Amino acid sequence: VRAACNFPAVPTADPFSGIFSHGPVAALVDGTSWTQAMLDFEAGLARACAGVGLIPPEAAAAITAACRVDQFDVATIGHEAGAGGNPAIPLVSALRGRVPDEFALYVHRGATSQDVIDTAMMLVARRALTVILSDVARLATSAAALVEPHRRTVMHGRTLLQQAVPVTFGLKAAGWLTAVQHARAALERAASTEPALQFGGAAGTLAALGDNGMRVAEALAEELGLPLPTLPWHTDRTRVTLLAGPLAAMVGVLGKIARDIELLAQNEVAEVTTGRGGGSSAMPHKRNPVQAVAVVACALRVPGPLATLHAAMLQEHERAAGAWHAEWEPFSELMRLAGSAVSWSAEMLEGLQVNPERMRANLDAAGDFMMAESVVAGLGMPGARELVDGALARAVAAESSLREALLATPDFPWSAEELDAELDPAAYLGVTQVFIKRALTAYEHDEESGG
Amino acid sequence: VRAACNFPAVPTADPFSGIFSHGPVAALVDGTSWTQAMLDFEAGLARACAGVGLIPPEAAAAITAACRVDQFDVATIGHEAGAGGNPAIPLVSALRGRVPDEFALYVHRGATSQDVIDTAMMLVARRALTVILSDVARLATSAAALVEPHRRTVMHGRTLLQQAVPVTFGLKAAGWLTAVQHARAALERAASTEPALQFGGAAGTLAALGDNGMRVAEALAEELGLPLPTLPWHTDRTRVTLLAGPLAAMVGVLGKIARDIELLAQNEVAEVTTGRGGGSSAMPHKRNPVQAVAVVACALRVPGPLATLHAAMLQEHERAAGAWHAEWEPFSELMRLAGSAVSWSAEMLEGLQVNPERMRANLDAAGDFMMAESVVAGLGMPGARELVDGALARAVAAESSLREALLATPDFPWSAEELDAELDPAAYLGVTQVFIKRALTAYEHDEESGG
Amino acid sequence: VRAACNFPAVPTADPFSGIFSHGPVAALVDGTSWTQAMLDFEAGLARACAGVGLIPPEAAAAITAACRVDQFDVATIGHEAGAGGNPAIPLVSALRGRVPDEFALYVHRGATSQDVIDTAMMLVARRALTVILSDVARLATSAAALVEPHRRTVMHGRTLLQQAVPVTFGLKAAGWLTAVQHARAALERAASTEPALQFGGAAGTLAALGDNGMRVAEALAEELGLPLPTLPWHTDRTRVTLLAGPLAAMVGVLGKIARDIELLAQNEVAEVTTGRGGGSSAMPHKRNPVQAVAVVACALRVPGPLATLHAAMLQEHERAAGAWHAEWEPFSELMRLAGSAVSWSAEMLEGLQVNPERMRANLDAAGDFMMAESVVAGLGMPGARELVDGALARAVAAESSLREALLATPDFPWSAEELDAELDPAAYLGVTQVFIKRALTAYEHDEESGG
Amino acid sequence: VRAACNFPAVPTADPFSGIFSHGPVAALVDGTSWTQAMLDFEAGLARACAGVGLIPPEAAAAITAACRVDQFDVATIGHEAGAGGNPAIPLVSALRGRVPDEFALYVHRGATSQDVIDTAMMLVARRALTVILSDVARLATSAAALVEPHRRTVMHGRTLLQQAVPVTFGLKAAGWLTAVQHARAALERAASTEPALQFGGAAGTLAALGDNGMRVAEALAEELGLPLPTLPWHTDRTRVTLLAGPLAAMVGVLGKIARDIELLAQNEVAEVTTGRGGGSSAMPHKRNPVQAVAVVACALRVPGPLATLHAAMLQEHERAAGAWHAEWEPFSELMRLAGSAVSWSAEMLEGLQVNPERMRANLDAAGDFMMAESVVAGLGMPGARELVDGALARAVAAESSLREALLATPDFPWSAEELDAELDPAAYLGVTQVFIKRALTAYEHDEESGG
């Protein structure tokens, strides 16, 4: 998927790549891949022009043959991009130098730099999103696989970082799954509808192609497998932000899951362990939840480039004086962070070890205070809350249990047996099983229709 | 649309409301509207509980009757929200005090504070989005109305804030229209798919309702006209960000249009005038493009709250300890800014005065340098660019025209007549008319299918 | 500090005020306070003009007398602000209507709207910062008071949300204190150096005052107690962002402290309790760390408005077309959030209950694995890490202790007594006491020099 | 300044480097420089340990000799950073492999990964800031050089992108200079006070060094030339954001200047030309203000990473689980963007061509409407504004001048000569010359005291 032709990934001198360039996406959005995508545009344009008879077929063949990134010095092109403010100018110049002299004239026919770079951005995005969505599918499978085995694994529900009322780990995993599926559907839709050809020439009229503009545009869209948009979108950046939004939302979902896992993996909680614990340079005993840490780090970073892309929407007239340029690196960064986060998350869920015994032990250790809501709801009578509040207060003061305090309450209407039934966490799960079934059914439905 | 019952808008002591609370949306997302929406939840819940036989119908009727925001002191509720960390707690308490004692018990059955507030957020969003989308339709109509009359109004295309090659004002307006329609389609889809009921109880299991959870949830969704989601989404904030994204993208599009208008309205350009020019406290002659300024101001502010909403996605466990709370005001702010921007933009386009004579005069004043690309393309031979570059250089040095310099070029292959034809801006518009037709056709198609 | 004259705070219908408008700052940055500050500018300007003989003293007296916000309808001024794009225009008009006709001419002499609003922003900022810094001082006192009593209260140090090596609670509190003091020093410096008069007239030349410009400017600065800057700073927004940055940094520090407290207050950790636990609308037993939750919520929101203020720095020419307007609400929001966060934090630290027994119990429950680094360091020989790693692995496999595994290691060089000394958490605290002393000394030094 | 030892810059395959990695700073903050800075920490630590007698001097010498980045494969270290979540772990491991076996034990004594990376971040920052501040000085010199020659070059003042009242180009340049100097002072202060050693060991107690912690810390600070902070600041990120803030403010100032230049360079305005106009791949005649475009692009991107750094302040306990990691790349990005923006800006101002004739022509072309404020101020009587407003309206209707309309006004009190004096733009400049003198004096004062 990297590009039309194979070329070797160049490892960059990046000491942080293991965290933020994890998985296959980073290489798909790096400078080499961008440049190949620009060359793909130029090659496609040459073939499109040949197809409508504007340039000789041999020129198109020669240009196509030359459009291999391994034949170019990307660093030099990057350096020279400063002169005109974008890399298309030196790249086109270098490309002209790599085709027979008589064909140089046919390179970049009718296009403007932004046509090259925007289309490249879309090609890069589509290639990256294909991989990201494939990893998301893997991740969803892993999340789904956690649900059924743990549908009755009772554990603390926690709200505001305090123990609340019981849930099951299956329900928690169903929540993760449902969130991933929600963001995934939006991302799939965006990935299929937003990428489009950019081809408008200097000011969006294709004037340099005379009457041939639409024919070339259609042929080029066909060559590159990208939809032909209603209009060139040089300064309408809607599709950039509509792609970025669901991608950022997906990373947010993964950040939520990773945060949960970090919290559940705390030694004091110990309800899950990540499969691959990271070592410490100082402490031999540490088993850091590195996968979750990496996902959280990616998630904390995503709002920044997303905001930049939105801020960059105010693009002047026919082509912008800075705002367009501001998109390139944040867009790549967002893709790279999302690719890393998805890749880390898939591994994290695949290797997650769940500890039902510890979940049960944590429930037991908590005493019966958290069942207070259950008793209030079970009593279902006026004054129930006050009665339970009073018993709770006495239990706290006496360091005893809610059970004892309630049974010692004069007007308490239940027998010990009735109360014990109400105090069983596993009996206070409401419609947990229904919810789990809804989540799995929705997932299975999506999978079938998605196939 | 404000709420189930009418209540007066309370003007707040806000000196900036005229700019950022323009139009009807601000009142729909203010504290009073939020509170009414919370009360709508409580009233709906009571009716839903009555519908499934959990509480007496008279209780539901009494609670519904009490759920009118004009009966509550929102400022006091806001003040008391500090104690428990959210306004649902004091609101429920106040509501219990406003129903007959025997019914107080039936208020807020099975719900948690977040159910109330999240559902209120969705009701507020839906009400605001209805109005926003209606204003967007008005805006699109105005944009579309600018296209046809100006399809052949030639003007400078401008790139990097420099004159480039000619376009027509109709094409520019078609670009605005297409961008609005693109963002609008995404916003309509989000507005119809993302708002959903929130109802999960303390930890998302509806445990306090025993076996009745799903029946109450279904009835409540029905009462409020909101879809019942697969699961409660207490800590899955995907739908919040998927709503916010297209809204922010829409404002970005409007910011682009307003920026164009600010630039076209510069005295030195003077190609458009805004219908309503703002006065100055100091300068009697000033006619500021206030509408455009307000839209740009809104657009510059939108990335901030959008980023906050994305940053807030990392919500812990079953309900979050801060990140959820962080959403409330930025979400309202985003709605308010979008409402203002849309309202301002609709007015701006409705009153926009286009000055074709000035556009023509600006073209004439520019000389023929900008037709250089046209000549290169028209020549279509090896060395064309170099020939034209040389002539341009000589023309600049001699302060003459490209025309003169070309005709004085020894090997120049064209006659003066041929050259003049090529130097006519109106003849160098490529597929402008085709693009305009595509934009109008797409718009009309959307209108028909949208109806 | 609110303003030159007293006026009642108007409670707004804001259901979230209890969380985000906590403490006294919100009222100092609300619309009424902004308007009073604008009136303070106009009153000061009138007196300054009178002082240099430009207007009659009676006019200045009449204008000053009229500049009381309780005499104005701020909501109406806000509404009318839409016409000209800012509230100064209708406010000046209203003010002219409130002075005797013969003095109306003397209102707003030589000033432009931005002079009024920017100076008001600075007055509002200074008033708010005075209160914020006072609350920060209170907060620092509370943080400092936690250090000494707990300088030897041993607890888990935790890194990457895993137990690491021991620290003391006093050291943790010293870290909080030092961070607060660092941000505080920066904020104090900014608060004393950044606020300045804005007074430049229509385009920054004070042309409408002829030769009197500087004399009026100097007198006005004197009247308002604000420094006279080198130049008007209409489109140089450095001081806005240099004020906002340290304020945001302070909230970030408070967010860190609050996050620590949320985590320490988890039931499974239980090492601290917040003094004021928030109740739950559903769960009688819950004691939510509401103060910490509110601070975290504020902290999550602060990067948004800060980024907006920075984005708004690109202000065109002599006065900007949107970017300036974009500052008003985010600036107030930042002040309000900071005010709330500081107020909440001061209360939180004042009421924080520390549980040394539970800290010790958590250490005991953790076993001796976390002392592995201590043993490696103590052994201090080649192969030490490998020896300890091996023992750890065997201890994990056998579910025994590091102690047992080490003593069973053939070449282990220490006696049981020697090992026990090394395994005592309280003996593995390095320079904890030195660090605590450094932190307290620095704090005391700051307090003395700050007095 | 790059590092302790020389090593070649490795050009990366980055097609955008010419825009966003302009000037010398990018190489100082790239992965190779980070890695060298980490090695500088390790070398310094070894020497510090030797200095206090903890390790043999030969070990320190051998470690120091090995700490040259050209001996390491940074890409591999980056790849391996994924396992433990940071690059210090594989780097320390690689370093141990590059010293004689008997000295491997002495590498990384008492330090934790974060000590290495945070200190490296500070070294990288200091090296980059030295260069940035040097370029800022160059830039200020260029800005200052524009003031004096143009102190009387009259031009339109423009507010809300409309012509307002006259200013001089010297005053505009003085405004740029003053803004740069303001941000520069803050950046210099931050650059000198915020960078500090990070050295705390696993949980900030330096426990692995026993009683030697402070002595090693002091020696290490000395070795690296960094201040020893009160405490380790593993999770107190104040200094990170206090460094980032003024840097971002500086870029905002440069963005404002570049925006002004883009607008002044519009063909329709043409009051300045940038020295180095960028070509176009399509249009031979284009002379794009590439330098300004690049600065604007940098400035639009800066709020993103700044917001991320602030969002990352909420770091848990003794070392964070994701938020710390989130800082690395945004911090480098901010430095790189600032370095590029400063470098571009210095070139832009050095080569800026000012066109006083065109400024005058633009004033003349504007007619005398913009002098309306001048007349109002000059009249200085009740009803002046109304009188001028009426004349303006008649002049607009008659397409005549304000002069004609005023002279035709029955009660107009001035002679034609008196009016002409008031209508001269050069006579309506208020205290422009005083302001210019203030700006230059302040600049000269700073230069002298800064030397």
mmCIF file of all heavy atoms in Angstrom, chain B residues 267 280 283 285-286 288, chain C residues 202-203 318-319, chain D residues 155-167 363 369-373 428:
data_model
loop_
_atom_site.group_PDB
_atom_site.id
_atom_site.type_symbol
_atom_site.label_atom_id
_atom_site.label_comp_id
_atom_site.label_asym_id
_atom_site.label_seq_id
_atom_site.Cartn_x
_atom_site.Cartn_y
_atom_site.Cartn_z
ATOM 1 N N ASN B 267 -10.267 48.797 1.006
ATOM 2 C CA ASN B 267 -10.447 49.956 0.121
ATOM 3 C C ASN B 267 -9.644 49.828 -1.161
ATOM 4 O O ASN B 267 -10.096 50.227 -2.231
ATOM 5 C CB ASN B 267 -10.005 51.249 0.821
ATOM 6 C CG ASN B 267 -10.712 51.459 2.138
ATOM 7 O OD1 ASN B 267 -10.312 50.864 3.120
ATOM 8 N ND2 ASN B 267 -11.774 52.265 2.151
ATOM 9 N N SER B 280 -17.589 53.570 13.463
ATOM 10 C CA SER B 280 -16.425 53.633 14.327
ATOM 11 C C SER B 280 -16.686 54.678 15.389
ATOM 12 O O SER B 280 -17.319 55.707 15.120
ATOM 13 C CB SER B 280 -15.199 54.021 13.494
ATOM 14 O OG SER B 280 -14.194 54.577 14.310
ATOM 15 N N MET B 283 -13.880 57.342 13.956
ATOM 16 C CA MET B 283 -13.720 57.790 12.576
ATOM 17 C C MET B 283 -15.038 57.790 11.817
ATOM 18 O O MET B 283 -15.582 56.744 11.493
ATOM 19 C CB MET B 283 -12.709 56.885 11.882
ATOM 20 C CG MET B 283 -11.311 57.011 12.486
ATOM 21 S SD MET B 283 -10.196 55.687 11.916
ATOM 22 C CE MET B 283 -10.813 54.315 12.897
ATOM 23 N N HIS B 285 -15.846 58.274 8.775
ATOM 24 C CA HIS B 285 -15.938 57.735 7.414
ATOM 25 C C HIS B 285 -15.852 56.226 7.348
ATOM 26 O O HIS B 285 -16.074 55.645 6.297
ATOM 27 C CB HIS B 285 -14.786 58.296 6.580
ATOM 28 C CG HIS B 285 -13.457 57.734 7.010
ATOM 29 N ND1 HIS B 285 -12.843 58.054 8.199
ATOM 30 C CD2 HIS B 285 -12.632 56.840 6.418
ATOM 31 C CE1 HIS B 285 -11.704 57.408 8.308
ATOM 32 N NE2 HIS B 285 -11.553 56.657 7.248
ATOM 33 N N LYS B 286 -15.503 55.585 8.445
ATOM 34 C CA LYS B 286 -15.242 54.145 8.405
ATOM 35 C C LYS B 286 -16.512 53.358 8.128
ATOM 36 O O LYS B 286 -17.582 53.657 8.637
ATOM 37 C CB LYS B 286 -14.659 53.666 9.743
ATOM 38 C CG LYS B 286 -13.188 53.917 9.928
ATOM 39 C CD LYS B 286 -12.256 53.124 9.025
ATOM 40 C CE LYS B 286 -12.202 51.666 9.358
ATOM 41 N NZ LYS B 286 -11.547 51.344 10.609
ATOM 42 N N ASN B 288 -16.798 49.569 8.452
ATOM 43 C CA ASN B 288 -16.123 48.315 8.728
ATOM 44 C C ASN B 288 -16.982 47.123 8.317
ATOM 45 O O ASN B 288 -18.192 47.144 8.499
ATOM 46 C CB ASN B 288 -15.807 48.225 10.219
ATOM 47 C CG ASN B 288 -14.768 49.247 10.634
ATOM 48 O OD1 ASN B 288 -13.826 49.493 9.905
ATOM 49 N ND2 ASN B 288 -14.963 49.853 11.803
ATOM 50 N N ALA C 202 -7.364 56.272 17.010
ATOM 51 C CA ALA C 202 -7.835 55.484 15.867
ATOM 52 C C ALA C 202 -6.779 54.562 15.272
ATOM 53 O O ALA C 202 -7.049 53.408 14.980
ATOM 54 C CB ALA C 202 -8.388 56.421 14.799
ATOM 55 N N ALA C 203 -5.590 55.042 15.054
ATOM 56 C CA ALA C 203 -4.571 54.193 14.441
ATOM 57 C C ALA C 203 -3.255 54.237 15.201
ATOM 58 O O ALA C 203 -2.190 54.012 14.640
ATOM 59 C CB ALA C 203 -4.361 54.584 12.986
ATOM 60 N N GLU C 318 -3.011 48.202 11.865
ATOM 61 C CA GLU C 318 -3.102 49.025 13.082
ATOM 62 C C GLU C 318 -4.159 48.520 14.067
ATOM 63 O O GLU C 318 -4.045 48.737 15.280
ATOM 64 C CB GLU C 318 -3.366 50.489 12.694
ATOM 65 C CG GLU C 318 -2.094 51.228 12.290
ATOM 66 C CD GLU C 318 -1.344 50.601 11.135
ATOM 67 O OE1 GLU C 318 -1.877 50.590 9.992
ATOM 68 O OE2 GLU C 318 -0.216 50.094 11.357
ATOM 69 N N ARG C 319 -5.203 47.881 13.547
ATOM 70 C CA ARG C 319 -6.175 47.203 14.431
ATOM 71 C C ARG C 319 -6.833 46.087 13.637
ATOM 72 O O ARG C 319 -7.113 46.242 12.453
ATOM 73 C CB ARG C 319 -7.207 48.186 14.998
ATOM 74 C CG ARG C 319 -6.531 49.089 16.061
ATOM 75 C CD ARG C 319 -7.471 49.779 17.015
ATOM 76 N NE ARG C 319 -8.169 50.873 16.344
ATOM 77 C CZ ARG C 319 -9.473 50.880 16.096
ATOM 78 N NH1 ARG C 319 -10.230 49.885 16.497
ATOM 79 N NH2 ARG C 319 -10.009 51.902 15.456
ATOM 80 N N MET D 155 1.605 56.996 5.359
ATOM 81 C CA MET D 155 0.866 55.913 4.704
ATOM 82 C C MET D 155 -0.485 55.769 5.404
ATOM 83 O O MET D 155 -0.717 56.346 6.464
ATOM 84 C CB MET D 155 1.652 54.604 4.801
ATOM 85 C CG MET D 155 1.761 54.052 6.220
ATOM 86 S SD MET D 155 2.789 52.546 6.369
ATOM 87 C CE MET D 155 1.801 51.367 5.461
ATOM 88 N N HIS D 156 -1.347 54.991 4.779
ATOM 89 C CA HIS D 156 -2.615 54.691 5.435
ATOM 90 C C HIS D 156 -2.393 53.893 6.715
ATOM 91 O O HIS D 156 -1.698 52.858 6.687
ATOM 92 C CB HIS D 156 -3.497 53.823 4.526
ATOM 93 C CG HIS D 156 -4.216 54.571 3.468
ATOM 94 N ND1 HIS D 156 -5.160 55.528 3.743
ATOM 95 C CD2 HIS D 156 -4.147 54.516 2.115
ATOM 96 C CE1 HIS D 156 -5.646 56.023 2.611
ATOM 97 N NE2 HIS D 156 -5.039 55.429 1.593
ATOM 98 N N GLY D 157 -2.976 54.322 7.804
ATOM 99 C CA GLY D 157 -3.221 53.412 8.903
ATOM 100 C C GLY D 157 -4.455 52.613 8.526
ATOM 101 O O GLY D 157 -5.381 53.152 7.909
ATOM 102 N N ARG D 158 -4.455 51.355 8.861
ATOM 103 C CA ARG D 158 -5.589 50.511 8.455
ATOM 104 C C ARG D 158 -6.127 49.761 9.663
ATOM 105 O O ARG D 158 -5.363 49.116 10.391
ATOM 106 C CB ARG D 158 -5.153 49.525 7.374
ATOM 107 C CG ARG D 158 -4.750 50.203 6.062
ATOM 108 C CD ARG D 158 -4.214 49.215 5.046
ATOM 109 N NE ARG D 158 -3.918 49.862 3.772
ATOM 110 C CZ ARG D 158 -2.716 50.281 3.391
ATOM 111 N NH1 ARG D 158 -1.680 50.140 4.204
ATOM 112 N NH2 ARG D 158 -2.552 50.862 2.217
ATOM 113 N N THR D 159 -7.414 49.870 9.865
ATOM 114 C CA THR D 159 -8.038 49.164 10.986
ATOM 115 C C THR D 159 -9.218 48.374 10.457
ATOM 116 O O THR D 159 -9.929 48.837 9.563
ATOM 117 C CB THR D 159 -8.495 50.160 12.070
ATOM 118 O OG1 THR D 159 -9.520 50.994 11.543
ATOM 119 C CG2 THR D 159 -7.346 51.021 12.552
ATOM 120 N N LEU D 160 -9.375 47.168 10.994
ATOM 121 C CA LEU D 160 -10.397 46.243 10.484
ATOM 122 C C LEU D 160 -10.290 46.088 8.966
ATOM 123 O O LEU D 160 -11.264 45.945 8.258
ATOM 124 C CB LEU D 160 -11.805 46.677 10.913
ATOM 125 C CG LEU D 160 -12.030 46.581 12.437
ATOM 126 C CD1 LEU D 160 -11.811 47.910 13.110
ATOM 127 C CD2 LEU D 160 -13.388 46.025 12.754
ATOM 128 N N LEU D 161 -9.076 46.117 8.487
ATOM 129 C CA LEU D 161 -8.765 46.006 7.047
ATOM 130 C C LEU D 161 -9.403 47.101 6.207
ATOM 131 O O LEU D 161 -9.642 46.917 5.008
ATOM 132 C CB LEU D 161 -9.100 44.599 6.528
ATOM 133 C CG LEU D 161 -8.099 43.525 6.984
ATOM 134 C CD1 LEU D 161 -8.556 42.131 6.566
ATOM 135 C CD2 LEU D 161 -6.720 43.797 6.390
ATOM 136 N N GLN D 162 -9.645 48.242 6.832
ATOM 137 C CA GLN D 162 -10.126 49.427 6.123
ATOM 138 C C GLN D 162 -9.157 50.577 6.391
ATOM 139 O O GLN D 162 -8.590 50.670 7.481
ATOM 140 C CB GLN D 162 -11.523 49.820 6.642
ATOM 141 C CG GLN D 162 -12.611 48.818 6.334
ATOM 142 C CD GLN D 162 -12.974 48.800 4.865
ATOM 143 O OE1 GLN D 162 -13.396 49.812 4.310
ATOM 144 N NE2 GLN D 162 -12.776 47.665 4.215
ATOM 145 N N GLN D 163 -9.032 51.446 5.415
ATOM 146 C CA GLN D 163 -8.215 52.639 5.631
ATOM 147 C C GLN D 163 -8.814 53.463 6.757
ATOM 148 O O GLN D 163 -10.019 53.702 6.787
ATOM 149 C CB GLN D 163 -8.151 53.453 4.343
ATOM 150 C CG GLN D 163 -7.420 52.712 3.224
ATOM 151 C CD GLN D 163 -7.620 53.331 1.867
ATOM 152 O OE1 GLN D 163 -8.422 54.264 1.714
ATOM 153 N NE2 GLN D 163 -6.917 52.819 0.881
ATOM 154 N N ALA D 164 -7.948 53.894 7.667
ATOM 155 C CA ALA D 164 -8.440 54.623 8.833
ATOM 156 C C ALA D 164 -7.891 56.049 8.799
ATOM 157 O O ALA D 164 -8.396 56.887 8.061
ATOM 158 C CB ALA D 164 -8.026 53.889 10.104
ATOM 159 N N VAL D 165 -6.883 56.328 9.571
ATOM 160 C CA VAL D 165 -6.243 57.637 9.566
ATOM 161 C C VAL D 165 -4.758 57.412 9.281
ATOM 162 O O VAL D 165 -4.269 56.299 9.418
ATOM 163 C CB VAL D 165 -6.451 58.377 10.911
ATOM 164 C CG1 VAL D 165 -7.933 58.658 11.131
ATOM 165 C CG2 VAL D 165 -5.860 57.602 12.068
ATOM 166 N N PRO D 166 -4.025 58.446 8.909
ATOM 167 C CA PRO D 166 -2.642 58.225 8.489
ATOM 168 C C PRO D 166 -1.720 57.812 9.631
ATOM 169 O O PRO D 166 -1.932 58.193 10.793
ATOM 170 C CB PRO D 166 -2.204 59.602 7.957
ATOM 171 C CG PRO D 166 -3.449 60.392 7.784
ATOM 172 C CD PRO D 166 -4.445 59.847 8.735
ATOM 173 N N VAL D 167 -0.727 57.052 9.277
ATOM 174 C CA VAL D 167 0.403 56.754 10.159
ATOM 175 C C VAL D 167 1.658 56.967 9.314
ATOM 176 O O VAL D 167 1.577 57.437 8.190
ATOM 177 C CB VAL D 167 0.352 55.300 10.691
ATOM 178 C CG1 VAL D 167 -0.896 55.073 11.530
ATOM 179 C CG2 VAL D 167 0.398 54.298 9.535
ATOM 180 N N LEU D 363 -2.580 57.015 -0.548
ATOM 181 C CA LEU D 363 -3.259 58.064 0.224
ATOM 182 C C LEU D 363 -4.026 58.989 -0.715
ATOM 183 O O LEU D 363 -5.202 59.306 -0.488
ATOM 184 C CB LEU D 363 -2.233 58.890 1.012
ATOM 185 C CG LEU D 363 -1.695 58.285 2.309
ATOM 186 C CD1 LEU D 363 -0.513 59.117 2.797
ATOM 187 C CD2 LEU D 363 -2.778 58.221 3.378
ATOM 188 N N PHE D 369 -11.845 61.380 2.552
ATOM 189 C CA PHE D 369 -12.810 60.879 3.550
ATOM 190 C C PHE D 369 -12.119 60.475 4.847
ATOM 191 O O PHE D 369 -12.647 60.653 5.941
ATOM 192 C CB PHE D 369 -13.576 59.679 2.996
ATOM 193 C CG PHE D 369 -14.587 60.047 1.945
ATOM 194 C CD1 PHE D 369 -14.692 61.353 1.461
ATOM 195 C CD2 PHE D 369 -15.444 59.089 1.429
ATOM 196 C CE1 PHE D 369 -15.626 61.681 0.485
ATOM 197 C CE2 PHE D 369 -16.380 59.412 0.459
ATOM 198 C CZ PHE D 369 -16.467 60.705 -0.008
ATOM 199 N N MET D 370 -10.948 59.901 4.707
ATOM 200 C CA MET D 370 -10.267 59.402 5.898
ATOM 201 C C MET D 370 -9.819 60.532 6.818
ATOM 202 O O MET D 370 -9.386 60.289 7.931
ATOM 203 C CB MET D 370 -9.070 58.559 5.498
ATOM 204 C CG MET D 370 -8.059 59.402 4.792
ATOM 205 S SD MET D 370 -6.425 58.700 4.763
ATOM 206 C CE MET D 370 -5.634 59.970 3.780
ATOM 207 N N MET D 371 -9.894 61.779 6.333
ATOM 208 C CA MET D 371 -9.525 62.897 7.191
ATOM 209 C C MET D 371 -10.719 63.403 8.009
ATOM 210 O O MET D 371 -10.613 64.414 8.710
ATOM 211 C CB MET D 371 -8.915 64.026 6.372
ATOM 212 C CG MET D 371 -7.623 63.639 5.636
ATOM 213 S SD MET D 371 -6.404 62.827 6.712
ATOM 214 C CE MET D 371 -6.035 64.212 7.801
ATOM 215 N N ALA D 372 -11.826 62.702 7.906
ATOM 216 C CA ALA D 372 -13.029 63.144 8.619
ATOM 217 C C ALA D 372 -12.784 63.284 10.118
ATOM 218 O O ALA D 372 -13.177 64.268 10.747
ATOM 219 C CB ALA D 372 -14.173 62.152 8.343
ATOM 220 N N GLU D 373 -12.109 62.294 10.710
ATOM 221 C CA GLU D 373 -11.835 62.384 12.146
ATOM 222 C C GLU D 373 -11.028 63.620 12.465
ATOM 223 O O GLU D 373 -11.251 64.301 13.469
ATOM 224 C CB GLU D 373 -11.094 61.140 12.652
ATOM 225 C CG GLU D 373 -11.000 61.092 14.172
ATOM 226 C CD GLU D 373 -9.863 60.217 14.695
ATOM 227 O OE1 GLU D 373 -8.694 60.390 14.248
ATOM 228 O OE2 GLU D 373 -10.117 59.380 15.554
ATOM 229 N N TYR D 428 -1.709 65.175 10.233
ATOM 230 C CA TYR D 428 -2.618 64.527 11.194
ATOM 231 C C TYR D 428 -1.963 63.258 11.722
ATOM 232 O O TYR D 428 -2.475 62.152 11.577
ATOM 233 C CB TYR D 428 -3.956 64.228 10.515
ATOM 234 C CG TYR D 428 -5.037 63.863 11.510
ATOM 235 C CD1 TYR D 428 -5.437 64.777 12.473
ATOM 236 C CD2 TYR D 428 -5.634 62.615 11.487
ATOM 237 C CE1 TYR D 428 -6.408 64.443 13.394
ATOM 238 C CE2 TYR D 428 -6.609 62.273 12.403
ATOM 239 C CZ TYR D 428 -6.987 63.197 13.362
ATOM 240 O OH TYR D 428 -7.955 62.865 14.287
#
